[in-house]
């Protein structure tokens, strides 16, 4: 038996983080937890420390870090508690680490994920915002360091599984004609434009098929999540915007498909449970038990497919627009979206203001070429300021 792999889970207290720990706990002989991190949920992180005995626990928030230290000391655990962004980078890049689950939500995930890539770690990428903001830079770092990159987003994991084993990033040479990116359509798939004006954060966070963090739940309701995923697919698989087709598939059983030039379409199916892609990413190229129930096709009985509605879900169009514009446009869009989602969750703007606000930011700010990380970070700051100003005026 090989020595257990050492894993850092960035965003351990979130939806993906908890599912990751669930899979790790099923295979104690294969994996040990090196570090767990969270923003400020010290109570939950402490419970996870008791259970998984990591070498390090990192809190972004300093006060929460102090509380966690106290608890860890009182419990006599050997876990060392650190705080701040540099500490996140440190536990992502440490020599002892084999693989990093990148499951922080939003732009905050970029720096630690990049640190893991620079250090050549196996990266299990859930944080799609990293690729949306800095796709070219991140993929360049991954290529240079030789980091194995495993997509965890269920759609991209499905595409990864349906592509040829040695896919080179050249669709033509591999006989691939299209990526068919499935979308559940979210909780408002059949809601009229008039009714969308009134929807509440509670309704937006009640996803029909998946249980997820609040930010991605709102993204799913606006379909910005699918827009972010189009950009994510572009970078992961080197697919041009025109070769990525969104297909609304309400059952979320097919997690995405790859269409080949000979007419074949390969799909990956499964119950909507993130532990499947997480287990795949952890064990690749092997397969391990994920605790997921087998798919019952007779119970599912039918699979439906419809074209996306760009009128009711303008965020999808905005994402294609940002991808085609290139440069800092996707980073501007991502930042505007994060501000908009937060304002919507705080009831400061309406649901339909989300795409209005993003469109405004994309219209107002210039798109520039990305040469270095600073270009992305400065676009992020400018877009947040422009978005806040729009909210203050509205
Ligand atoms: P979540 O909100 O449930 O959890 C987020 C985690 O990040 C928490 O541990 C939180 O403490 C930490 N965090 C938040 N802000 C932080 C900050 N500023 N600095 C450091 N840590 C911070 O989110 P989630 O649903 O688990 O999603 C995580 C990522 O995975 C997102 O990028 C999301 O798009 C992606 N993703 C999630 C799912 C899903 O099913 N939940 C599916 C596909 C992709
Ligand atoms: Mg997804």
């Amino acid at each position: 038996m090989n020595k257990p792999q050492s894993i850092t889970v960035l965003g351990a207290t979130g939806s993906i983080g908890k599912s990751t720990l669930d899979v790790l706990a099923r295979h104690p002989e294969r994996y040990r937890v090196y570090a767990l991190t969270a923003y400020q949920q010290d109570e939950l992180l402490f419970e996870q420390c008791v259970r998984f005995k990591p070498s390090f626990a990192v809190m972004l928030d300093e006060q929460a870090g102090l509380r966690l230290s106290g608890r860890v000391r009182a419990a006599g655990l050997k876990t060392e508690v650190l705080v701040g962004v540099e500490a996140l980078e440190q536990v992502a890049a440490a020599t002892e680490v084999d693989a990093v689950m990148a499951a922080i939500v939003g732009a905050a995930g970029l720096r630690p994920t990049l640190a893991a890539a620079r250090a050549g770690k196996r990266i299990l990428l859930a944080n799609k915002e990293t690729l949306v903001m800095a796709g070219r830079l991140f993929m360049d770092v991954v290529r240079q360091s030789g980091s194995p990159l495993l997509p965890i987003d269920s759609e991209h994991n499905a595409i990864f599984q349906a592509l040829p084993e040695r896919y080179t990033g050249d669709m033509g040479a591999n006989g691939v004609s299209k990526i068919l990116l499935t979308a559940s359509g979210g909780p408002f798939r059949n809601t009229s434009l008039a009714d969308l004006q009134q929807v509440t954060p509670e309704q937006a966070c009640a996803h029909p098929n998946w249980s997820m963090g609040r930010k991605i739940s709102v993204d799913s309701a606006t379909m910005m999540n699918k827009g972010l995923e189009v950009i994510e697919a572009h970078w992961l698989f080197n697919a041009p915007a025109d070769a990525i087709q969104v297909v609304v598939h309400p059952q979320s059983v097919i997690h995405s498909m790859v269409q080949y030039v000979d007419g074949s379409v390969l799909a990956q199916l499964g119950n909507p449970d993130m532990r499947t892609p997480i287990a795949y990413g952890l064990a690749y190229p092997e397969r391990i038990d994920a605790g997921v129930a087998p798919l019952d096709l007779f119970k599912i009985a039918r699979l439906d497919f419809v074209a996306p509605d760009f009128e009711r879900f303008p965020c999808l169009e905005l994402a294609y627009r940002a991808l085609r514009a290139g440069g800092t446009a996707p980073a501007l869009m991502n930042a505007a979206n994060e501000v908009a989602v937060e304002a919507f969750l705080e009831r400061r703007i309406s649901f339909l203001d989300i795409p209005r606000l993003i469109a405004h930011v994309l219209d107002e700010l210039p798109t520039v070429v990305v040469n270095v990380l600073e270009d992305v970070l400065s676009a992020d700051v400018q877009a947040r300021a422009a978005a806040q100003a729009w909210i203050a005026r509205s």
Side-chain angles (χ1 to χ4, degrees), residues 132 224 227-228 230-231 234-235 241 314-334 358 362 367-368:
V132 172
M224 178 51 93
L228 300 176
V230 167
I231 301 173
H234 164 75
W235 290 115
C315 283
L316 196 50
E317 184 86 62
L318 288 169
Y320 273 105
R321 179 178 144 196
L323 174 57
R324 290 195 172 101
T328 50
L332 295 172
M333 179 195 76
N334 179 69
I358 299 166
L362 282 175
T367 289
V368 301

Side-chain angles (χ1 to χ4, degrees), residues 22-84:
D22 181 278
V23 177
L24 294 177
R26 290 167 195 277
H27 305 280
E29 70 301 339
R30 292 183 76 114
Y31 307 107
R32 78 165 289 272
V33 176
Y34 175 77
L36 297 174
T37 85
Y39 180 37
Q40 54 184 5
Q41 280 179 288
D42 58 294
E43 235 167 280
L44 179 53
L45 196 65
F46 171 68
E47 285 167 27
Q48 294 178 338
C49 287
V50 171
R51 175 133 190 245
F52 292 93
K53 312 220 159 22
S55 304
F56 292 92
V58 182
M59 303 254 44
L60 186 78
D61 182 78
E62 206 174 318
Q63 289 307 314
L66 286 174
R67 290 194 299 271
L68 180 66
S69 284
R71 290 172 194 275
V72 162
R73 230 176 303 122
L77 297 178
K78 293 205 188 74
T79 301
E80 189 173 330
V81 177
L82 306 173
V83 293

Side-chain angles (χ1 to χ4, degrees), residues 128 153-156 216 225-226 229 232 274:
K128 61 192 88 186
D153 210 346
S154 56
E155 294 78 2
H156 306 76
I216 184 176
N225 183 50
K226 212 47 54 181
E229 290 183 358
E232 184 184 11
M274 290 306 293

Side-chain angles (χ1 to χ4, degrees), residues 44 50 61 74 76 93 100 103 120-121 158 180 208 222 228 310 325 335 338 347:
L44 179 53
V50 171
D61 182 78
V100 174
K121 305 303 180 192
L180 304 174
T222 60
L228 300 176
F310 287 93
E338 286 189 25
R347 295 182 162 76

Side-chain angles (χ1 to χ4, degrees), residues 10-19 37-41 45 48 58-61 85 88 101-109 112 125-130 152-155 210-217 219 225 228-229 232 274:
L10 300 171
T13 55
S15 166
I16 295 286
K18 286 189 266 187
S19 293
T37 85
Y39 180 37
Q40 54 184 5
Q41 280 179 288
L45 196 65
Q48 294 178 338
V58 182
M59 303 254 44
L60 186 78
D61 182 78
V85 180
L88 292 176
M101 166 55 79
I104 290 174
V105 61
L125 188 66
N127 178 258
K128 61 192 88 186
E129 293 89 350
T130 288
I152 299 303
D153 210 346
S154 56
E155 294 78 2
W210 298 92
S211 134
M212 308 179 287
R214 279 162 68 81
K215 193 258 175 182
I216 184 176
S217 294
D219 284 347
N225 183 50
L228 300 176
E229 290 183 358
E232 184 184 11
M274 290 306 293

